[in-house]
Amino acid sequence: FYALYMRSALARRVVTLHPSPRVLNATSSSPAVSPDQFWGSYRPHVYFGMKTRSPRSVVTGLMWMRQFADVDGNLRHTCEQGDRLQGYGWLMHDGVSFGVQEIHDRDFTLTTEFVKRMGGDHGGDWTWRITAKQHSSAAMAPVISLMFYAATDVQGSLQAHVEEKNVLSSVTGTSEELGNFKITFGKPTAGEGATGKYAKYNYLQTRSPGLDKLTDIAKNSLNHKFIFSPPKGEKRSYFAVDSHKVMTHHNQQQDPKIEGDFVVHQVTVQTPFQIEVLFESGSFHDRPNQLVGSVLTDELERRKVAFNEKFEGTFGLQAKEFTSSQIKFAKAALSNMLGGMGYFYGQSVVQSVYNEHPLLYPESPLFTAVPSRSFFPRGFLWDEGFHQLLLSKWDPPLSLEVIAHWLDLINVEGWIPREQILDDEARSKVPSEFIVQHNENANPPTLFLVLQKLVDQLETDPDRLSSHLPVLRRLYPRLQTWFEWFNTTQAGPMANSYRWRGRDKDTNLFLNPKTLTSGLDDYPRASHPSSDERHVDLYCWMALASGIMANVARILGEPHKVYENTHLTLSNNELLNELHWSDNLRVFSDYGNHTQAVSLQQEKVYVPPGQPRHQFPVTRLVRSVRRAPKLQYVNALGYVSLFPFLLHILTPDSPKLEHILRDIQDPEHLWTPYGLRSLSRTDPLYMKRNTEHDAPYWRGPIWININYLAVRALHHYGSIEGPYKEKAAAIYQELRTNLIKNVYKQYLETGYIWEQYSDSTGRGQGSHPFTGWSALTVLIMAEKY
Ligand code: 6A9
């Protein structure tokens, strides 16, 4: 019985939150405490939409489709690479009060702008302006349907107000956090002050089983029976949302789960045109005028001027003589990171060794930036540290708030789930095998990099004391447990060594079993995962983290000796060399049970009798090991071997710097005209697939987060005294120029910032837009490290 009891108590631990008071209390995001940030574009996974920072927010958004096109099913809503847009993203966004986005569809461009106005007790008003223009290449001005919608999520209600049979002129509604509100749909015009245009209207009012189903409901309701018949134009039938069709569909499906109201206002009109949508909060009584037309134009203009001034004040790119087109690119990179921030609320699915089945983590909010609005529109732990390096320059309190959100997710063990998949919408984007998060798995503690910045700001700018210090104080017990969790659960086989847990176990299938937890996924590690391994990148993260823990403790007047001792120990370059320097290859290296003699081979697969043969590949790739592994250095040259340099663990006089700088500069190893590649060209695993279906990822391509660290390190070693000062400074200039040139060039050519860049052509590849850490290009331009 006792054993059973213990087991169930242990099983609960993974879902038991840290006992210290939360950094952010339950009202921190409420309209009363934080009215300016209540409404926002916090739905990064849709092309355009807004919600409030509350658990069950009313959401608003836009879908659109091109009428009379040859392609069917071109309804746009959630950001999908499959839509093959020529580019989209925020060009300006201040993170709080306004944003300007451009969306380039096949033969037209939509500009989506929003401006907020504070007043009342519920986060105030806002207005959207959508401007549509055909491309000069378009043979005929396209006819487009814009579908504006609002939806509730479990609580609240919406009422449609219909005029002239099917024109939805406004929606009124109410919800717990918004009180009463009204959304008014303007009529399309040819531009501000111009007269109205011929347009057709349709609407849909229905119920939805969840926010992740909105696209399907709208799609299933489309009916082709409506007639577009402009004066002097041809009569044509077009697609529109149709309540009748939804009713029939619903009756057939009998979905038992009905969670909210869903109202759509469809306007069908030929380009060019402009439409405004106005949200007015019921508690805002003394508004001087409506935020539409020229009032809106003036307001937008003011925000743009303020944004441009703040941008130059923060990053100084004009002063550095970048061209106006380069500056526009940098503004877009920052803006899309800000405009890509999301407010998520829900539960992770987690598991420890004590649970037979996964458990639901406690419900929590998460306010965070995301790596990619299309492919990864959710929080990732180590990505976030990089995101906040940029955002902490723009808005330091915002970064502190995000860090607080992340640390409020920590459990009693000191673990933070790496990938935050919190609600139905987020889950709908992730294959099921990736959803469960395991509590032995780490991810690099990059949030310490930002904490260091915020602590530095404290020291140079005492004005920040009053805003930063109380937050730091509440963060501190959580940081302690977090650090301790790394220090114990990820300890290595020898004193002061460290090992990533959670490597792939099936050594048969993978050329090299992956280490997703390190963030560097398929980067080559020991060929045979074992508890004898030690990982140099994790060692360096711990050296960094302990130093910053010591600083934070010192500032708060807390005991700091333990952290300082760990930091001194790990910073001792003798120890580092002893644990990780491979004399053979002259690189810093992992150590473990390893052989280089591995390859993937075709193997015939046995198909059990009675099984339909076509369900199985007749052959598959499996790993063959030609020489037995033994305990030795892994001897890979690439990002992992640079970590003692990347995180400034090497003393400036370390002779190892000579080797590192040489490898960095060598085109046979890491140097390319577009940035540093992740793995040396001479490595046996260079650009090798890991399985039949798993293309090389961190085995050659150029990644901007690590290149940012490299440029930062070159800047560091190039500005402090030491034998390699001049050399580092010279490489710094070249690498910085190459990176900026390529990311910018690819953006101009493709319309996107990318997840990674090809080391042979510089071309952007992987998911896009990726304005997570690739947006660090802005800091490289600004030389802010
Ligand atoms: C797969 C597929 C719709 C991989 O940027 C986020 C992470 C990084 O943290 C990590 O270092 N990316 C990098 O190696 C993307 C990871 C996506 C995993 C989920 C699900 C969804 O398809």
Side-chain angles (χ1 to χ4, degrees), residues 199 447 725:
L447 291 175
K725 184 176 175 196

Side-chain angles (χ1 to χ4, degrees), residues 11 166 184 223 489 521 564 747:
N166 49 9
T184 311
N223 202 331
T489 70
D521 298 18
E564 199 168 273
Y747 177 73

Side-chain angles (χ1 to χ4, degrees), residues 371-372 374-376 378 380-383 418-419 429-431 434 443 516 518-521 697-698 703 705 755 770 773:
S372 161
S374 58
F375 239 65
F376 316 122
R378 53 188 174 272
F380 284 83
L381 182 52
W382 93 302
D383 295 64
R418 171 168 54 116
E419 190 174 338
K429 284 235 164 188
V430 186
F434 291 109
N443 206 206
L516 294 175
S518 72
L520 309 171
D521 298 18
Y697 204 37
W698 294 84
W703 294 77
N705 60 335
E755 184 183 24
F770 191 102
W773 58 46

